Amino acid sequence: MNIVTTDTISCKDRGLQYGDGFFTTVQITAGQLSLWSLHLQRLQQCQERLGFTALNWQYLTKHCENVAAEHQHAVLKIIVTRGVGGRGYTPPTSVLPTIYVSVSEFPGHYNQLSQSGLRLGISNIQLGHQPLLAGLKTLNRLEQVLIKQDAMQFSVDDVLVMDIDNHVIETSVGNIIACKNGVFYTPQLDKCGIEGVYLKHLAQQNLIKPIQIKLDQLLEMDVVVVCNSLMECIHVSQLENKVYDLDMACQAIRKLNNKV
């Protein structure tokens, strides 16, 4: 495999030509890779399910640890493509995977949102079904680009996204966790959506039941939160005309983080 740390990419890279690859976004905290073991699991799952050549995970880990050590608080992004080669869709048998590693500033608006909460609108874009890719964070993110374009018309912090069967799946940036009578739920992601690293982290500490959720059911929940590996866990303050109770939200987040 080839690790690239520059902004240069070949026009023949299959990640650019076909979205033939996957990625993960890691929070760097005090020079350390947060939740690295779960990010590594995500990368390994993508590699196996997409049929990529086996990668040297130990070498990648050491490289990313060295990069993280140079930063106090930042975002490290790892993009893995099948590599350079092949004009058509069929992957060349001898292609060498390419890994792009980059660092960017940590989003400053998450601190403010953790206090105010997220105001959610409803996206007009619905996710299609492809069980073979469900849960994976592949480079094929055109649906999310359309969702972000659509969200620009709303005066909200983020948008709720549903699938073509009108089941709640996620928001444009994270997974959904809802709470009713002290029980945690999250949308099933067996047909579409991304299984986030922070959702996995919280599910290791809590019983979170994956279920099919419709919008009217979500509006009946006591608490709704959005999570990803950068924002971690932020409560939803308002969804359409429903305003969620702040005290209940704070209590639920403390429970999710084992701080009750």
Side-chain angles (χ1 to χ4, degrees), residues 79-147:
I79 299 175
V80 183
T81 77
R82 203 178 296 269
V84 174
R87 185 200 61 79
Y89 290 132
T90 304
T93 56
S94 60
V95 70
L96 182 67
T98 302
I99 300 179
Y100 299 89
V101 176
S102 62
V103 177
S104 58
E105 292 185 3
F106 190 84
H109 65 289
Y110 283 156
N111 286 333
Q112 186 273 325
L113 288 175
S114 67
Q115 301 298 318
S116 64
L118 291 161
R119 295 169 298 119
L120 295 186
I122 308 295
S123 177
N124 295 307
I125 309 299
Q126 295 180 313
L127 297 175
H129 292 170
Q130 178 43 273
L132 292 175
L133 300 176
L136 302 184
K137 199 163 189 178
T138 72
L139 296 182
N140 295 278
R141 303 260 65 88
L142 283 178
E143 285 179 315
Q144 282 67 36
V145 172
L146 293 175
I147 288 166

Side-chain angles (χ1 to χ4, degrees), residues 237-260:
S237 59
Q238 185 171 346
L239 172 57
E240 289 201 310
N241 294 324
K242 170 67 178 285
V243 177
Y244 293 94
D245 183 86
L246 177 60
D247 291 338
M248 294 184 72
C250 291
Q251 183 178 354
I253 291 175
R254 286 195 299 269
K255 184 178 179 181
L256 283 170
N257 290 317
N258 284 334
K259 293 182 179 180
V260 175

Side-chain angles (χ1 to χ4, degrees), residues 1-23 52 78-92 95-101 139-140:
M1 69 185 190
N2 179 32
I3 295 182
V4 179
T5 55
T6 68
D7 293 332
T8 302
I9 181 171
S10 169
C11 64
K12 295 182 179 180
D13 191 296
R14 292 182 62 83
L16 174 62
Q17 292 210 29
Y18 309 115
D20 190 1
F22 49 93
F23 71 103
F52 271 48
I78 303 165
I79 299 175
V80 183
T81 77
R82 203 178 296 269
V84 174
R87 185 200 61 79
Y89 290 132
T90 304
V95 70
L96 182 67
T98 302
I99 300 179
Y100 299 89
V101 176
L139 296 182
N140 295 278

Side-chain angles (χ1 to χ4, degrees), residues 1 3 33 36-37 39-41 43-44 47 54-67 78 99 101:
M1 69 185 190
I3 295 182
L33 298 167
W36 175 247
S37 63
H39 283 284
L40 192 58
Q41 286 179 25
L43 294 172
Q44 291 170 334
Q47 177 243 306
L55 302 174
N56 188 334
W57 300 114
Q58 185 175 1
Y59 179 71
L60 176 63
T61 298
K62 185 63 177 177
H63 177 85
C64 291
E65 287 176 343
N66 290 339
V67 172
I78 303 165
I99 300 179
V101 176

Side-chain angles (χ1 to χ4, degrees), residues 198-217:
Y198 207 76
L199 175 62
K200 277 192 171 183
H201 166 66
L202 293 175
Q204 290 179 339
Q205 305 175 153
N206 305 271
L207 177 60
I208 304 177
K209 299 181 179 181
I211 61 171
Q212 290 187 340
I213 305 176
K214 294 280 191 175
L215 177 59
D216 57 351
Q217 294 173 291

